[in-house]
Amino acid sequence: WEPKSALKELRRANPLQQIPTLVQPDGAVLTESAAILIHLGLAHPKSGLLPKDAAERAQVIRALVFIAAAITDSLDGYLARRMGITTPLGEFLDPVADKLMVTTALVLLVGHDTRPLIVITAVVIIGREITVSALREWMAQLGSRSKVAVSGMGKWKTILQMTGLSMMMFREDLLGLPVYDLGVLLLVVAAVLTLWSMVAYVKAAWP
């Protein structure tokens, strides 16, 4: 292909021009790396891209889907702010999506790992999210929602939560590293930041 013809073909198959791109025989297009990996692993079991055991394979797929969702959730907010196309609805839904993802993942993980550390960490994180959401709603009614806008600490908390949960959902050791245990450690650190940021929000809102 000539460079220009290749670009035209990419635009035809994938208007967003995302890379990597996988065009399937039926014409469907996959552009998300995790989606491509899952499709190839399921379509070609002997490739070794996914575990052969059904339970382990489902576990890896769940982790990849969560990781893809976490990355795209962060990326769309960044691009919206960078390109100046934020909307009030988007600003409202973005933190809601984060909370739904984190809460759902925590509930599922606690169902499999009932150790006190995991349960307490989950309760702290979910309890904080409910408290801060109620606080923001109250401040919005008072016309002072900007006092409890998302802070830098809150963003770091979300990053640690998403990373820790992704590692815990993946579970399998990688390159000799205890991925699940490292995920638990990150989640505990995130819980500490969660409480810290909640105190900061309460102080900011206090009359």
Side-chain angles (χ1 to χ4, degrees):
W1 280 355
E2 294 293 327
K4 291 184 178 180
S5 65
L7 182 59
K8 289 180 180 179
E9 184 63 21
L10 175 61
R11 286 175 175 168
R12 182 193 65 78
N14 177 15
L16 295 179
Q17 301 180 56
Q18 293 174 311
I19 297 176
T21 298
L22 175 65
V23 182
Q24 301 181 59
D26 62 359
V29 179
L30 295 177
T31 57
E32 181 66 53
S33 299
I36 293 174
L37 175 59
I38 292 172
H39 171 76
L40 293 176
L42 293 175
H44 306 282
K46 295 182 179 180
S47 65
L49 291 173
L50 293 174
K52 294 182 179 179
D53 180 74
E56 292 181 1
R57 185 165 60 248
Q59 179 178 294
V60 171
I61 290 175
R62 285 194 299 268
L64 289 174
V65 169
F66 184 84
I67 291 169
I71 292 174
T72 54
D73 177 65
S74 300
L75 187 60
D76 65 0
Y78 169 78
L79 291 176
R81 290 187 294 271
R82 184 70 180 269
M83 299 172 68
I85 53 176
T86 58
T87 64
L89 179 61
E91 292 177 355
F92 167 75
L93 290 178
D94 188 54
V96 171
D98 293 340
K99 290 173 175 56
L100 285 175
M101 287 177 57
V102 169
T103 301
T104 302
L106 284 170
V107 170
L108 293 175
L109 286 170
V110 167
H112 289 277
D113 190 342
T114 58
R115 289 179 296 169
L117 177 63
I118 306 300
V119 174
I120 293 173
T121 300
V123 169
V124 167
I125 292 175
I126 295 175
R128 179 269 187 193
E129 299 298 354
I130 295 173
T131 302
V132 172
S133 294
L135 180 64
R136 285 182 175 144
E137 180 66 23
W138 178 51
M139 295 303 293
Q141 292 180 5
L142 297 178
S144 303
R145 195 179 190 283
S146 59
K147 288 185 177 181
V148 288
V150 178
S151 64
M153 188 189 308
K155 293 178 181 178
W156 276 108
K157 175 266 301 179
T158 300
I159 292 173
L160 287 175
Q161 284 179 354
M162 294 296 190
T163 305
L165 288 170
S166 298
M167 296 173 74
M168 291 175 69
M169 294 182 75
F170 189 79
R171 299 186 73 88
E172 300 297 322
D173 291 352
L174 189 64
L175 301 177
L177 296 175
V179 172
Y180 186 84
D181 292 338
L182 289 175
V184 171
L185 177 61
L186 289 179
L187 195 64
V188 171
V189 174
V192 174
L193 288 181
T194 289
L195 290 175
W196 191 356
S197 62
M198 183 185 72
V199 171
Y201 288 137
V202 171
K203 285 184 177 180
W206 200 260

